Amino acid sequence: MKSLRPYIKVYSPNFVTKFICLVNYIMLYSEVMISSDLASRVHRHQLIKNEDYHAREGDLCYGCGLLLHESSSIYHCTYFRTNAEEDDCAHVLIHKTCAHLPTKLKHPSHKHELELSERPLSFPISRDKCDVCGITLKWFTYYCGFYKSEFQICLACIIPFNKITIHPPYHPHKLTFLANLATFRCDGCHEVDTDFSYMCYTCPFWIHLKCSNLPPLLSCDIHHKHPLRLTYYLPENYRRFQQSCRICRQYLRDPRDWLYHCPDCRFFAHIKCATSPPKSHGDTKYANQDYSIHKSLSGLVQLPLPEHESLLRHCIKGSTLWSKDAALTPPDQINHWSHEHKLLLKNPSVASTTSEEEIWPICNGCIESITIKDGAFYECGECDYILHGYCAHFPQEMSDRAGYRRKIVAIQPRVHDIWSCARCKGFRNGTQMRYTYEGDYAQKSTIERNFDSACVILPERIVHKAHQHKSRPNYFFRASAGENTTCSACNQTLDGFDICYACNGFECFRCIHIECALKPLRVEHRWDPHPLHLITSAEEVIDHPHEFQCEFCSEEIDTNYWFYHCSVCDLSFHFKGCIDPFPYSKVKFGASNIMLDAHQHGLSFLLNKKKHQPCHRCHKDTFGRPVLECIPCKFVQHAQPELCT
């Protein structure tokens, strides 16, 4: 065989011209049999040429995977006619062009020389997709044999076989292949890149070769439920809200951009993001692990908490605020600063039960149920006052953990005094942690903020099911909200002076309100017999192509943010405002013999479930509100004075 070097120099120096000349030259001087080097890579037997092969229905080229024409020039196995049809020898049919591909070549998309191989490769590679167009590799491929390089490229990205002109569905005119590398802005992906291309000579339409080869359906590692569909613009029914790529988390800038999406799950992805290998950001230690919560984060509080789980119990694990000796050997009785009577040590197994369900006593400190998990508790023998063991040992005074040396003092309000936590915004009537500090120099005033006992010792780091990076274990850490920061849960602006949870991920700027992070996983609503589930991504609701409409306000829900949903009844509610989990779930009712100047008898503290009972003070209806009531006198008054204003 003659040297190829002088032959190639006659032609233009661009890659495609060299490649075509190389293939044509080899075919010109080839023998009837394919070279032993290539044959050994493809098949265990020798391959011979058939200039007039009449293809059967469904015959595919073993090299490029394209259908064979009715009359084709191919190579096939020497035992093609002697072996049974089910034998693999009957299916080794290769285009003459594919059979004479060079075993090694240089391509502009990679710096090293590439080698030809069939699939699967003889050595392990973690991916099975083309690094240029992202298509799954099933046929011949060129790969880089350089140490630690896993670059692979399909034949369609090497040269567009039989596609010098195409009539694509995304453009009304014929497109012509340009056999020259060019750097330009593609009208498909809108990215500026250097590639071969297709151009329209009727109008100014120009796309990358790799974009013309994009598969209409794509299996994506990030989205396993359904294959992603290639679409040439953002569908109209998704344009009301700003959509974002679920892989890179960046907004979809132009609705005319091509993208991959799953209409059933409202999943969107840039073309480049969907076809590129997952990024590890240099942290390969966790790159190949499929986990929900990595073991290195197993000691952190994981939100949302399961039903009937105490946030305070999770927060005090490993805390230095409690004496270990007191936990191991709790005293039989104590005098607690929050109560005038002695408290006696009890075992939770003595909690009352009924035949239908267990009824556990409620702690007056954190207003959580006292279950067997909580261990021993303290109870007053003279009145209905009870504390968890860890609430009884909660410090009455503690320092601000932010490092400002300010004191936080515990206060036990009256049983009917309802207050709101400044951090989780929930109503309480349990132990109040009061944080006092001086205002700025202009105000010259003292500012007081009240916190729930669990919120005042919230952990510095948490793990939340709403946000996990696949390439590395990540968590949210407590931080001060920056200016113009938006909560990723509710889309409301974060207060610059407040504390939020922020993601520790590389180049990830997700922040969420603490009150949003503490929202329950499931809530009850009077309009639905089933519990509503917290949805942090529309992908969690399978097979829901139509929009989500809030049952309360009848407005469409922006699924980029959290909401509550019942899959059984297909009911949805906005995350804030339209659905309020029972606002008094952390208020302990049932206290009696409460004396007020407004009435001569002792009053009971309860939640009013009777309609048309006006408040004695403001004459407003008290239905569904905490009240102080004297049943014999039919006296009813709001327990919250602010409701009377």
Side-chain angles (χ1 to χ4, degrees), residues 41 88 99 133 148 157 164 191 209 231 320 355 363 388 407 521 529 560 624 637:
R41 293 168 179 262
D88 61 349
C133 68
K148 287 189 176 180
C157 291
I164 302 304
E191 296 284 342
L209 170 63
T231 180
T320 58
S355 58
C363 173
H388 283 107
K407 295 294 183 183
L521 185 63
N560 291 297
Q637 180 175 297

Coordinates of all heavy atoms in Angstrom, one line a residue, residues 41 88 99 133 148 157 164 191 209 231 320 355 363 388 407 521 529 560 624 637:
R41 N -10.7 -6.6 15.7 CA -11.4 -5.7 16.7 C -12.9 -5.9 16.6 O -13.6 -5.6 17.6 CB -11.1 -4.2 16.4 CG -9.6 -3.8 16.6 CD -9.4 -2.5 15.9 NE -8.0 -2.0 16.1 CZ -7.7 -1.2 17.1 NH1 -8.5 -0.7 17.9 NH2 -6.4 -0.8 17.2
D88 N -24.6 -15.0 16.0 CA -24.2 -13.6 15.9 C -23.5 -13.4 14.5 O -23.4 -12.3 14.0 CB -23.3 -13.1 17.0 CG -22.0 -13.9 17.1 OD1 -21.9 -15.0 16.4 OD2 -21.1 -13.5 17.9
A99 N -16.4 -0.2 7.2 CA -15.4 -1.2 7.3 C -14.0 -0.7 7.1 O -13.0 -1.2 7.6 CB -15.7 -2.3 6.3
C133 N -22.2 14.4 21.6 CA -23.6 14.6 21.4 C -24.4 14.0 22.5 O -25.6 14.3 22.6 CB -24.1 14.1 20.1 SG -23.9 12.3 19.9
K148 N -6.2 7.5 32.2 CA -7.3 8.1 33.0 C -8.2 9.0 32.1 O -9.0 9.8 32.6 CB -6.7 9.0 34.1 CG -6.1 8.2 35.3 CD -5.7 9.1 36.4 CE -5.3 8.3 37.6 NZ -4.9 9.2 38.8
C157 N -20.7 11.8 15.0 CA -20.0 13.1 15.3 C -18.7 13.1 14.6 O -18.0 14.2 14.5 CB -19.8 13.2 16.8 SG -21.3 13.4 17.7
I164 N -25.3 14.8 3.7 CA -24.8 16.1 3.2 C -25.9 17.2 3.2 O -25.6 18.3 3.5 CB -24.2 15.9 1.8 CG1 -23.1 14.8 1.9 CG2 -23.6 17.2 1.3 CD1 -22.0 15.1 2.9
E191 N -25.5 28.3 22.0 CA -24.2 28.3 22.6 C -23.1 28.6 21.5 O -23.3 28.2 20.3 CB -23.8 27.0 23.2 CG -24.7 26.6 24.4 CD -24.3 27.3 25.6 OE1 -23.2 27.9 25.7 OE2 -25.1 27.4 26.6
L209 N -23.1 20.6 14.2 CA -23.3 19.2 13.8 C -23.9 18.4 14.9 O -24.7 17.5 14.8 CB -22.0 18.6 13.3 CG -22.0 17.1 13.0 CD1 -23.0 16.7 11.9 CD2 -20.6 16.7 12.7
T231 N -37.2 19.0 22.6 CA -38.2 20.0 22.1 C -37.4 21.2 21.6 O -36.4 21.6 22.1 CB -39.2 20.4 23.1 OG1 -40.2 21.3 22.6 CG2 -38.6 21.0 24.3
T320 N -24.0 20.1 74.6 CA -23.3 20.3 75.8 C -24.1 21.1 76.9 O -23.6 21.4 77.9 CB -22.0 21.0 75.6 OG1 -22.2 22.3 75.0 CG2 -21.1 20.2 74.6
S355 N -58.8 2.2 73.9 CA -58.8 1.0 73.1 C -58.5 1.5 71.6 O -58.1 0.7 70.8 CB -60.1 0.3 73.1 OG -61.2 1.2 72.8
C363 N -46.1 18.0 77.3 CA -45.1 18.7 78.1 C -45.5 20.2 78.1 O -45.8 20.8 77.0 CB -43.7 18.5 77.5 SG -42.4 19.5 78.2
H388 N -40.9 17.1 80.0 CA -39.9 16.1 79.6 C -38.7 16.1 80.6 O -38.4 17.2 81.2 CB -39.4 16.4 78.2 CG -40.3 16.0 77.1 ND1 -41.0 17.0 76.4 CD2 -40.7 14.8 76.6 CE1 -41.7 16.4 75.5 NE2 -41.5 15.1 75.6
K407 N -27.4 37.4 76.5 CA -28.0 36.4 77.3 C -29.4 36.1 76.7 O -30.1 36.9 76.2 CB -28.2 36.8 78.8 CG -26.8 36.9 79.5 CD -26.1 35.6 79.6 CE -24.8 35.7 80.4 NZ -24.1 34.5 80.5
L521 N -43.7 17.4 56.9 CA -43.7 16.5 55.7 C -45.1 16.3 55.3 O -45.4 16.3 54.1 CB -43.0 15.2 56.0 CG -42.8 14.3 54.8 CD1 -42.0 14.9 53.7 CD2 -42.2 12.9 55.3
P529 N -59.7 14.2 52.7 CA -59.7 13.2 53.7 C -58.3 12.5 53.9 O -58.0 11.8 54.8 CB -60.7 12.1 53.2 CG -60.7 12.3 51.7 CD -60.4 13.8 51.5
N560 N -41.7 25.6 40.6 CA -40.3 25.8 41.0 C -40.1 25.9 42.5 O -38.9 25.8 42.9 CB -39.7 27.0 40.3 CG -39.6 26.9 38.8 OD1 -38.9 26.1 38.3 ND2 -40.4 27.7 38.1
G624 N -63.1 28.6 66.2 CA -61.8 28.2 65.8 C -60.7 28.9 66.5 O -59.5 28.8 66.0
Q637 N -64.3 34.7 75.9 CA -63.5 35.8 75.6 C -62.2 35.3 74.9 O -61.7 34.3 75.2 CB -63.0 36.6 76.9 CG -62.1 37.8 76.6 CD -61.8 38.5 77.9 OE1 -62.8 39.1 78.5 NE2 -60.6 38.5 78.3

